[in-house]
Amino acid sequence: MKLIKTQDAVGYILCHDITQIIPGVTKDAVFRKGHVVREEDIPVLLSVGKENLYVWEKQEGMLHENDAAELLRRVCQGEHMNPSEPKEGKIDLTAECDGVLKVDKEKLNRVNAMGQMCIASRHGNFPVRKGDKIAGMRVIPLVIEEEKMKNVEAVCGEEPIFKLMPFRKMKAGIVTTGSEVYYGRIEDKFTPVVKKKIEEYGAEVLGNTVCNDDSQMVTDAINEWIEKGAELVVCTGGMSVDPDDRTPLSIKNASDEIVTYGAPVLPGAMFMLAYQGEIPIMGLPGCVMYSKRTIFDLVLPRVIAGERLKTEDFTTLGEGGLCLSCPQCTFPNCGFGKGGK
């Protein structure tokens, strides 16, 4: 840094905060460290007694923190996100719609490993609402080598680190299984829970079909909802390995691909996901009816956002897959489901 006359400081970068004191009114920084001095700033600087200023010497190949932060924003920001203005080398991204956040962890880790810069975000694969902060990024020093920032661009390529998948106006059908419900021996308390969760993400529930434990009846009900335009079919109950629980067989017979039957998540180990073409078919274990948060809460938002899930999306859920059933539930702002790929 060097000391120069204030009148000669236009275009230079301040090395420290400039404080303005007005008794009884304010005592705050009128200009922050890193501010690029403009012509209109000169009278203000002189009015607070700054005849000389310490500024960074201009060097070829160096970027100001705000310019570097803007480059970080470009490699981070996907569609449906709003950036803040650069301030002191920092930019925040917020969601401009409801959806599911996707994070390229490999790129994120490689950039953070470069040093002198940081990108911090919320967890990927979880829902965000319009206006939620998604990520913040900044460079650490006041100026940074331009070459280092070019390396960031090279690492990240064309695809952004963060993507936001908006929730789709999906139509869903529910198949309620169980002879005890079919014959009216007990009240169906499962369907209302599932319906409410689906509707939380803006999807429409077309209706539900109640079936007994006959496997073919359940398969037919699944196919009928798909014929009626359902883009998601959810089957409730009958998911255990007991001989009279036939829902997994019914889903298998209605599907082209079985992604998983079972997941390392508690509650929700007996969950099933399959596809008929592009249409997901889920089998929900009984815990979804009475546990506040389960595997269903981890999978449903991603499906409604249009993501096609794979087997490895489930096998990596073990770390963080144990819900602690806290007396005061703070999901998704907790560790449940945070260990996945």
Side-chain angles (χ1 to χ4, degrees):
M1 62 184 177
K2 65 179 179 179
L3 185 66
I4 63 173
K5 289 186 177 296
T6 298
Q7 290 92 334
D8 300 329
V10 174
Y12 281 89
I13 301 168
L14 293 177
C15 288
H16 56 88
D17 293 349
I18 304 294
T19 302
Q20 182 181 52
I21 301 174
I22 302 176
V25 179
T26 184
K27 180 184 178 183
D28 197 8
V30 65
F31 298 111
R32 295 287 184 184
K33 180 182 73 171
H35 177 73
V36 179
V37 179
R38 303 163 298 177
E39 189 70 46
E40 59 265 34
D41 299 333
I42 301 302
V44 180
L45 289 163
L46 293 172
S47 73
V48 296
K50 295 300 179 183
E51 298 289 335
N52 300 286
L53 296 172
Y54 281 101
V55 296
W56 284 102
E57 294 189 70
K58 296 179 181 178
Q59 297 180 39
E60 197 68 32
M62 301 297 289
L63 287 179
H64 179 255
E65 58 180 355
N66 285 347
D67 296 326
E70 176 61 23
L71 188 148
L72 286 179
R73 179 204 64 77
R74 291 200 301 269
V75 302
C76 285
Q77 182 181 348
E79 291 184 302
H80 313 296
M81 301 177 194
N82 295 317
S84 66
E85 290 295 321
K87 183 179 180 182
E88 299 177 21
K90 181 185 176 187
I91 296 177
D92 292 327
L93 296 176
T94 56
E96 66 177 22
C97 66
D98 296 350
V100 168
L101 177 65
K102 301 296 294 182
V103 180
D104 189 322
K105 291 185 180 182
E106 181 182 354
K107 288 182 182 178
L108 178 65
N109 292 339
R110 288 183 67 184
V111 172
N112 281 329
M114 291 181 179
Q116 294 189 302
M117 65 193 79
C118 74
I119 305 170
S121 76
R122 60 174 61 212
H123 279 279
N125 294 332
F126 280 83
V128 295
R129 298 297 182 181
K130 181 179 179 180
D132 284 351
K133 185 185 290 188
I134 291 172
M137 60 221 65
R138 70 168 302 154
V139 293
I140 307 304
L142 191 57
V143 291
I144 191 169
E145 295 91 343
E146 187 174 4
E147 188 64 29
K148 175 165 277 193
M149 302 312 297
K150 287 181 179 178
N151 289 339
V152 171
E153 291 180 306
V155 163
C156 294
E158 297 297 321
E159 292 297 315
I161 292 175
F162 303 111
K163 295 181 181 180
L164 182 56
M165 301 178 67
F167 293 128
R168 301 186 301 166
K169 299 296 183 182
M170 182 178 278
K171 296 178 180 180
I174 301 174
V175 178
T176 307
T177 71
S179 296
E180 66 277 21
V181 175
Y182 181 78
Y183 293 110
R185 295 170 186 144
I186 65 169
E187 179 185 355
D188 175 19
K189 295 186 177 181
F190 209 149
T191 302
V193 172
V194 174
K195 183 174 184 290
K196 181 179 178 182
K197 286 183 180 286
I198 292 173
E199 291 175 342
E200 280 179 10
Y201 298 108
E204 177 189 357
V205 176
L206 299 176
N208 79 295
T209 303
V210 182
C211 299
N212 62 23
D213 293 317
D214 178 77
S215 174
Q216 189 59 50
M217 179 186 286
V218 176
T219 297
D220 290 343
I222 294 170
N223 289 326
E224 284 169 9
W225 277 121
I226 293 174
E227 290 169 6
K228 291 177 181 178
E231 300 157 286
L232 164 65
V233 179
V234 179
C235 302
T236 69
M239 290 301 300
S240 79
V241 293
D242 294 342
D244 57 348
D245 280 347
R246 311 301 299 279
T247 305
L249 176 61
S250 305
I251 293 174
K252 177 182 177 182
N253 291 337
S255 64
D256 306 317
E257 177 193 358
I258 297 174
V259 176
T260 187
Y261 175 32
V265 176
L266 296 171
M270 304 306 292
F271 173 84
M272 187 172 188
L273 176 66
Y275 285 90
Q276 184 185 111
E278 297 300 316
I279 298 171
I281 305 169
M282 296 188 201
L284 305 186
C287 61
V288 175
M289 176 171 51
Y290 55 81
S291 295
K292 191 168 183 65
R293 298 298 177 184
T294 67
I295 181 70
F296 191 43
D297 299 283
L298 304 182
V299 175
L300 180 64
R302 297 175 67 177
V303 167
I304 293 182
E307 183 178 0
R308 187 176 181 118
L309 299 180
K310 305 178 290 298
T311 302
E312 53 265 36
D313 290 312
F314 294 91
T315 56
T316 57
L317 284 174
E319 181 186 1
L322 177 64
C323 177
L324 300 180
S325 302
C326 303
Q328 185 69 34
C329 180
T330 60
F331 181 86
N333 300 321
C334 67
F336 182 49
K338 295 297 196 299
K341 181 180 178 183

